[in-house]
Amino acid sequence: MANHKSALKRIRANEAKRLRNRYQSKTTRTFIKRLKAATDKVEAMELYKKVVSMLDKLAKKNVIHKNNASNKKSRLAKFVNALA
């Protein structure tokens, strides 16, 4: 166990960040699933905008890699454009 005050604070801060990152990642995954389940193009476009924003935020904060976010956005855009 850490003995320094700063190390103890760092442990607390890291845990808080870890939980926040997990929550945001899980929420994004849920929205991606909702988007993939969508059948209406208008609804899918609205969800797509929201998902893209979430992915960009995760990439900006280095929760996921920027290329990973880009690949997901591309795949989802293909899916939305294929809807009739």
Side-chain angles (χ1 to χ4, degrees), residues 7-56:
L8 293 169
K9 182 177 179 181
R10 175 63 39 217
I11 290 168
R12 288 195 309 271
N14 287 342
E15 180 64 13
K17 287 177 186 173
R18 184 183 74 86
L19 292 174
R20 190 177 315 119
N21 289 342
R22 275 183 62 194
Y23 171 77
Q24 290 172 345
S25 290
K26 186 67 176 163
T27 305
T28 304
R29 280 200 304 272
T30 304
F31 270 85
I32 290 173
K33 285 176 192 167
R34 267 192 225 167
L35 175 57
K36 285 183 180 175
T39 52
D40 178 36
K41 187 159 185 160
V42 177
E43 179 192 348
M45 286 298 290
E46 291 299 315
L47 274 170
Y48 178 71
K49 287 178 188 172
K50 193 168 185 107
V51 168
V52 165
S53 172
M54 292 170 128
L55 287 170
D56 285 338

Side-chain angles (χ1 to χ4, degrees), residues 1 12 25 34 37 39 48 51 62 67 70 73 76-77 80:
M1 188 64 193
R12 288 195 309 271
S25 290
R34 267 192 225 167
T39 52
Y48 178 71
V51 168
N62 287 324
N67 291 354
S70 184
K73 289 191 293 187
L76 290 170
V80 170

Side-chain angles (χ1 to χ4, degrees), residues 59-73:
K60 184 179 178 186
K61 294 175 183 172
N62 287 324
V63 177
I64 61 173
H65 195 274
K66 65 179 183 175
N67 291 354
N68 185 336
S70 184
N71 289 339
K72 285 181 179 172
K73 289 191 293 187

